[in-house]
Amino acid sequence: MLDKNGIAKRIAKELKDGYYVNLGIGIPTLVANYIPEGISVTLQSENGLLGMGPFPFEGEEDPDLINAGKQTITTLPGSSIFDSALSFGMIRAGKVDLTILGAMEVSENGDIANWKIPGKMVKGMGGAMDLVASAKNIIVAMQHVNKAGESKLLPSCTLPLTGTNCVKKIVTELGVFDVLPEGGFKLLERAPGISVEQIKNSTAGKLIIEGDIPEMVL
Amino acid sequence: MNKVVANADEAVKDITDGATLMVGGFGLCGIPENSIAALVKKQVKNLTCISNNAGVDDFGLGLLLQQKQIKKMISSYVGENAEFERQLLSGELEVELIPQGTLATRCMAAGYGMPAIFTPAGVGTEVAIGKEVRNFNGKDYLMEYAFDADFAIVKAWKGDKHGNLIFRSTSRNFNPLMAMGGKITIAEVEELVQPGELDPDQIHTPGIYVHRIFQGKDYEKRIEQRTVRAKG
């Protein structure tokens, strides 16, 4: 089974040289720590920055320089800064190659819910609806089941949607899944020590298993 | 031309109960601290605030929420404010949550003289309820109207008496968009400089959009999430 860092590490293998990538809050942010050797990606932060650098050294924090998670960060040589309309303009125009974000639920046709639990939690969608409506490639990083032990990979979402038919891939602590255009979660890899049976038991949506499923290599 | 006013109190003096305000900033980054303090002092009520976030409990727009001066918030993300969540769940506060890019672009549209925009954000979700959907080249888009705000209140790094503004780093965020989107735009700046000191090529907001400008003071610039890495 993967921990949060393991999920991030596995997703980092999906990065390609030259990609512009938007990382959501939570596990997706950790992906930045595992960018493979020899690959250069540019991180987009939707509050208005391309080329997000690492956290500043203590004492060098700049309150005017934060990322979309409101964390203090740094720029890099080659960074650019712009307003929020331009930031979402480049997202809407499909210039960002890959969006990685968390989710509460994903359905077998690629719908995603991650912004609201009616009556309980009302934090808002932030930039997630814009991102999922326009991104060319969306990978979801999440736990396979919720705190109540219920599958988050569902036939259809029960929570208010963030976007429809948009998720392409999911990485959980149990495995890696493609969301097929015709519907269904196709199991690609098992997490270390996890059996196909365990994945079957934790997946409520249509699971597609073809042939032997390899254990992932991190 | 001189758009300079003495201070925040003078800048907000004609903001009255029931006004609709655009308030710049992302989180606590680039918020008009002086103007918000003046609105708290002025005790105006029933405000509608268009702002990406709602501040935190004891800073930013949270200060106006504490005093129950806000009737309605139009925001994209409000997760950092417990008092906000309490007022929302209890029904005291009206809230319209909209996608962040939609919020930014509706401000921009107001400043560009465009009545509406089309965006795919929110198609197929509850954000789309009651909105016109148009299909362009096989993809659905929602029609979203330009905002109509009585005042925009923004914070810039530098400005001159013509109202020209330059923003610093990611504190730019929504500020230039709201500056162009308000019927009356109030800008507070860290440094009020003489005309000619700002390079015309570097100006983010041309002064035509700005009606009042003042030298701000005592900026706290609170950091919401202080994240650092170890040296060496």
Side-chain angles (χ1 to χ4, degrees), chain A residues 26-171:
Chain A
I27 301 173
T29 304
L30 301 173
V31 173
N33 300 334
Y34 300 104
I35 297 168
E37 199 84 7
I39 284 188
S40 164
V41 300
T42 304
L43 300 178
Q44 201 252 19
S45 189
E46 66 266 25
N47 53 318
L49 169 65
L50 265 176
M52 180 167 64
F55 295 148
F57 291 119
E58 192 160 2
E60 293 175 11
E61 309 93 314
D62 178 352
D64 287 339
L65 182 52
I66 63 169
N67 64 14
K70 283 103 181 174
Q71 297 171 311
T72 46
I73 46 151
T74 55
T75 54
L76 296 167
S79 292
S80 58
I81 286 170
F82 33 85
D83 67 53
S84 301
L86 186 61
S87 183
F88 283 94
M90 63 184 70
I91 288 166
R92 218 179 282 119
K95 305 295 181 187
V96 175
D97 298 291
L98 175 62
T99 289
I100 303 168
L101 77 175
M104 296 172 189
E105 296 177 346
V106 178
S107 78
E108 61 193 34
N109 66 340
D111 294 352
I112 176 172
N114 72 354
W115 73 283
K116 184 181 185 183
I117 303 172
K120 278 191 194 156
M121 190 281 286
V122 276
K123 294 189 187 308
M125 65 291 279
M129 281 196 183
D130 308 272
L131 282 158
V132 301
S134 298
K136 286 182 281 195
N137 191 6
I138 299 171
I139 300 177
V140 162
M142 66 175 187
Q143 301 297 321
H144 206 97
V145 297
N146 64 21
K147 281 177 188 144
E150 298 156 343
S151 179
K152 294 166 71 173
L153 286 73
L154 300 169
S156 60
C157 294
T158 63
L159 295 169
L161 295 180
T162 308
T164 59
N165 303 105
C166 55
V167 177
K168 301 281 192 290
K169 192 174 279 234
I170 305 168
V171 179

Side-chain angles (χ1 to χ4, degrees), chain B:
Chain B
M1 183 155 316
N2 188 3
K3 298 175 177 178
V4 177
V5 296
N7 52 40
D9 293 331
E10 197 183 325
V12 305
K13 68 178 180 209
D14 55 349
I15 297 182
T16 52
D17 290 359
T20 296
L21 316 177
M22 288 175 174
V23 184
F26 177 88
L28 300 179
C29 182
I31 58 172
E33 295 181 21
N34 286 224
S35 301
I36 291 170
L39 289 170
V40 172
K41 192 168 134 197
K42 192 170 154 60
Q43 299 183 339
V44 279
K45 296 246 175 342
N46 290 320
L47 299 171
T48 295
C49 291
I50 301 163
S51 188
N52 190 59
N53 311 90
V56 295
D57 281 329
D58 61 347
F59 201 54
L61 289 180
L63 297 170
L64 289 170
L65 284 166
Q66 262 182 18
Q67 303 302 318
K68 307 225 163 65
Q69 292 173 262
I70 300 179
K71 177 187 70 176
K72 181 177 180 181
M73 281 294 313
I74 301 173
S75 303
S76 85
Y77 189 82
V78 294
E80 291 91 359
N81 192 317
E83 172 63 13
F84 181 99
E85 202 157 1
R86 191 198 64 72
Q87 287 187 24
L88 170 58
L89 290 170
S90 72
E92 291 164 59
L93 181 69
E94 210 182 315
V95 177
E96 191 181 336
L97 290 169
I98 62 173
Q100 194 174 329
T102 301
L103 197 152
T105 313
R106 289 175 67 188
C107 293
M108 189 194 82
Y112 272 59
M114 301 189 298
I117 55 131
F118 289 94
T119 176
V123 168
T125 76
E126 63 181 54
V127 165
I129 294 168
K131 288 176 185 161
E132 183 178 336
V133 178
R134 285 276 292 273
N135 189 286
F136 296 95
N137 304 317
K139 182 167 174 164
D140 283 341
Y141 295 80
L142 299 183
M143 187 167 79
E144 297 275 9
Y145 293 106
F147 281 122
D148 181 17
D150 303 312
F151 295 89
I153 302 172
V154 304
K155 149 83 196 318
W157 179 36
K158 292 180 178 180
D160 63 24
K161 69 176 186 180
H162 294 275
N164 295 308
L165 303 177
I166 293 179
F167 302 90
R168 182 175 175 275
S169 199
T170 58
S171 73
R172 192 181 323 179
N173 56 63
F174 289 83
N175 280 301
L177 306 162
M178 292 181 167
M180 65 165 75
K183 280 201 202 74
I184 294 176
T185 290
I186 297 163
E188 56 176 85
V189 296
E190 285 179 59
E191 278 182 60
L192 187 62
V193 303
Q194 291 303 314
E197 284 186 48
L198 302 179
D199 177 351
D201 272 333
Q202 303 300 320
I203 285 167
H204 297 127
T205 298
I208 193 168
Y209 285 115
V210 176
H211 303 84
R212 298 170 199 164
I213 187 167
F214 68 92
Q215 169 73 58
K217 59 175 188 183
D218 303 331
Y219 282 104
E220 186 178 334
K221 292 198 179 186
R222 202 183 286 188
I223 292 174
E224 235 167 298
Q225 306 281 344
R226 186 179 300 274
T227 45
V228 295
R229 67 187 144 138
K231 271 189 181 154

Side-chain angles (χ1 to χ4, degrees), chain A residues 7-22:
Chain A
I7 295 173
K9 209 169 172 181
R10 174 59 189 83
I11 290 178
K13 289 176 72 180
E14 303 289 322
L15 301 173
K16 294 196 169 64
D17 196 40
Y19 262 16
Y20 290 99
V21 183
N22 183 289

Side-chain angles (χ1 to χ4, degrees), chain A residues 1-4 7 142-145 171-175 190-192 194 216:
Chain A
M1 189 182 301
L2 300 175
D3 61 7
K4 286 179 180 181
I7 295 173
M142 66 175 187
Q143 301 297 321
H144 206 97
V145 297
V171 179
T172 75
E173 75 278 21
L174 301 184
R190 294 173 290 115
I194 298 295
M216 70 177 69

